[in-house]
Amino acid sequence: MTSWVGRTAAEIAAAVREKRATPREVVAEHLARIARLDGGVGAFRVVRAEAALAEADEVASRGDLAELPLAGVPVAVKDNLAVRGESKRIGSAATPDTPADDDHVTVARLRAAGAVVVGLTNVPELCVFGTTEGVHGTARNPWDTSRTAGGSSGGSAAAVAAGMVPIALGNDGMGSLRIPAANCGLITIKPGTGVVPAGVSDGDWFGMSENGPLATTVEDARLMLSVLADTEVIRPDTPSTYRIAVSLRSPIAGVALSKPYATAAREAAGLLIKAGHQVRRADPPYPMSLGVTSLTHWTAGTAVDAKDLDPQRLTRRTRVHATVGKRFVNRVRGGESRDELRRRLEPFFAEYDVLLTPALARRSPRSEPWHERGWLRNVMANTNYSPFTPPWNLTGWPAMAIPFGTLPSGAPTAVQLVGRPGSEAELLALAERIEELGPWRRTAPLE
């Protein structure tokens, strides 16, 4: 019997459309893998075993099965997006355990395309931090379970990296797709503003949060993005020669870059030179105030999300984060600092088509009860390992994480690609070239 675990979403959907597999057998295999492995990984808060099998049968009976781009593909959904019939807890004891009446628009689009939601994945409380642990569970990196999967889309990334699903839905407000993707050896793209419907929380962290895919191949990331997006994401007709800037400078002043991530960026740059692209070392003109700008927006977004929740049911780190942010809400709501950052960076992106950076500064923190640690310790741990992602939420420009290289432990390292508004297709094409020339192992060797 053919095993569908470990196959790409594109392969599964083609097999289901061509009646070489049924949605039920595909979903059942993935549910069995979740049952076998998730105790050690912690990807899921809720596994919808019975409901997913029933929905798989519904997909099989659809008259448009042969046209469905995600026919029968199991998908995991981050637990801050509504899934009809399931509660949305957002990693917290303070949120209501009330089933949602309707799917979030991105979940509805996945289901309309034939995907089957097998479960909701773990997140840190209110999706604030770059590690995933809390009252509903802890998501570990399948490549090294002593380390966190990252956050806040940590459970979704862990599920894909462990082969429990071929693709997953997450979102990114300060790096929450790219951080766990980089930790777990996955492809992701944070689309630019307005490409995919947001609606992640109250105000989407002032417009910084974007929904996007987590996948093991560029083809799957492009396929999922095409289902989620309001506009068609078209692969460029002909290969282009890009002007690429490579920067190893941390956007946040004072954060040191570790050797494995510096090496990953340098070697990826060398690969792109051999591929015919124009590559130069050049640092974007990040303002010295960027760390303060990031912190004010990060905390203010949490203050808005927490305003109607019982503070006594929030963890201390979240309460402090929200309290700090209250004083900044009015300041960041106008968007002046984000406008200024865009104006400062636009000339750089007139000179270069794409920016290549390390995706992280160092390996992820150990998998510990970070939700029980103090606020400042959490902030410092997050800032010191993930300084490269926040600028592109502040600007609203597209950015990707791509597996490239390894840590001494054998876990993956990664690089980040950043482009101008509207360059999602070009970034995916460049990522595809990296994938061709520097392929990676798609899932962690858990068994």
Side-chain angles (χ1 to χ4, degrees):
M1 184 182 81
T2 301
S3 174
W4 298 105
V5 167
R7 307 293 283 273
T8 68
E11 290 171 332
I12 290 170
V16 170
R17 288 193 299 267
E18 296 163 10
K19 303 294 181 70
R20 292 183 284 114
T22 67
R24 173 173 273 266
E25 66 184 285
V26 171
V27 170
E29 280 193 34
H30 286 84
L31 288 171
R33 186 170 178 86
I34 293 168
R36 187 166 68 253
L37 298 179
D38 199 39
V41 175
F44 288 91
R45 177 181 73 84
V46 170
V47 178
R48 307 177 67 250
E50 290 186 19
L53 290 171
E55 289 169 19
D57 291 340
E58 291 174 8
V59 171
S61 67
R62 284 176 57 169
D64 60 349
L65 180 67
E67 285 78 48
L68 297 177
L70 294 176
V73 175
V75 63
V77 174
K78 185 177 180 178
D79 190 25
N80 68 340
L81 296 169
V83 172
R84 184 182 64 251
E86 305 292 344
S87 60
K88 183 178 71 173
R89 300 307 305 273
I90 325 178
S92 181
T95 51
D97 189 17
T98 306
D101 294 329
D102 299 294
D103 287 330
H104 185 276
V105 60
T106 53
V107 177
R109 288 182 180 182
L110 292 172
R111 281 178 156 158
V116 177
V117 178
V118 298
L120 285 79
T121 56
N122 277 314
V123 300
E125 187 171 54
L126 304 190
C127 297
V128 174
F129 294 100
T131 60
T132 294
E133 63 292 297
V135 296
H136 298 295
T138 295
R140 298 173 177 84
N141 187 344
W143 293 89
D144 179 357
T145 53
S146 72
R147 298 278 160 180
T148 178
S152 62
S153 305
S156 283
V160 177
M164 298 177 194
V165 286
I167 55 175
L169 180 60
N171 36 59
D172 190 315
M174 276 285 178
S176 289
L177 280 165
R178 288 162 289 155
I179 293 167
N183 286 330
C184 296
L186 303 179
I187 281 280
T188 192
I189 181 165
K190 178 198 76 68
T193 303
V195 174
V196 172
V200 180
S201 58
D202 291 342
D204 300 316
W205 275 21
F206 309 99
M208 296 190 302
S209 294
E210 304 292 347
N211 293 307
L214 288 154
T216 64
T217 66
V218 177
E219 180 185 28
D220 275 5
R222 180 186 288 112
L223 173 61
M224 188 171 172
L225 182 63
S226 70
V227 169
L228 297 173
D230 286 327
T231 57
E232 194 171 358
V233 180
I234 302 173
R235 182 189 280 109
D237 291 334
T238 57
S240 298
T241 299
Y242 294 106
R243 299 169 300 165
I244 301 170
V246 181
S247 176
L248 305 183
R249 176 191 166 195
S250 168
I252 309 297
V255 178
L257 177 62
S258 68
K259 183 177 179 180
Y261 284 94
T263 299
R266 289 192 187 101
E267 292 184 352
L271 182 150
L272 292 171
I273 291 171
K274 291 178 182 177
H277 297 285
Q278 300 173 23
V279 181
R280 284 183 54 193
R281 280 290 297 272
D283 295 328
Y286 302 120
M288 287 294 293
S289 60
L290 185 57
V292 173
T293 303
S294 298
L295 182 66
T296 56
H297 283 74
W298 183 22
T299 57
T302 303
V304 172
D305 287 349
K307 70 180 186 302
D308 295 325
L309 300 176
D310 179 357
Q312 296 307 310
R313 305 199 72 188
L314 296 172
T315 61
R316 183 174 179 274
R317 68 173 182 177
T318 304
R319 287 200 307 272
V320 174
H321 207 73
T323 300
V324 169
K326 284 180 183 178
R327 71 193 67 183
F328 303 127
V329 170
N330 290 333
R331 180 196 301 183
V332 305
R333 184 167 277 140
E336 290 85 359
S337 57
R338 297 182 64 200
D339 290 341
E340 174 57 31
L341 180 62
R342 281 188 283 264
R343 286 192 295 269
R344 186 180 180 101
L345 293 172
E346 279 166 355
F348 184 86
F349 281 89
E351 185 175 356
Y352 299 100
D353 302 306
V354 175
L355 171 65
L356 168 68
T357 76
L360 299 171
R362 62 188 66 179
R363 65 178 177 173
S364 62
R366 294 193 66 83
S367 182
E368 297 176 350
W370 285 95
H371 61 299
E372 298 174 0
R373 307 285 191 256
W375 174 75
L376 186 58
R377 187 173 173 187
N378 272 273
V379 168
M380 294 304 298
N382 279 236
T383 301
N384 285 333
Y385 102 96
S386 58
F388 289 95
T389 56
W392 317 114
N393 299 93
L394 291 164
T395 60
W397 297 346
M400 295 190 66
I402 303 162
F404 199 92
T406 58
L407 294 163
S409 67
T413 52
V415 296
Q416 178 179 235
L417 295 180
V418 182
R420 307 182 192 96
S423 65
E424 286 82 5
E426 288 75 16
L427 291 180
L428 286 162
L430 191 57
E432 196 164 49
R433 189 69 176 133
I434 293 173
E435 183 179 31
E436 291 169 1
L437 298 173
W440 50 81
R441 183 167 182 172
R442 292 178 41 247
T443 54
L446 286 173
E447 55 184 19

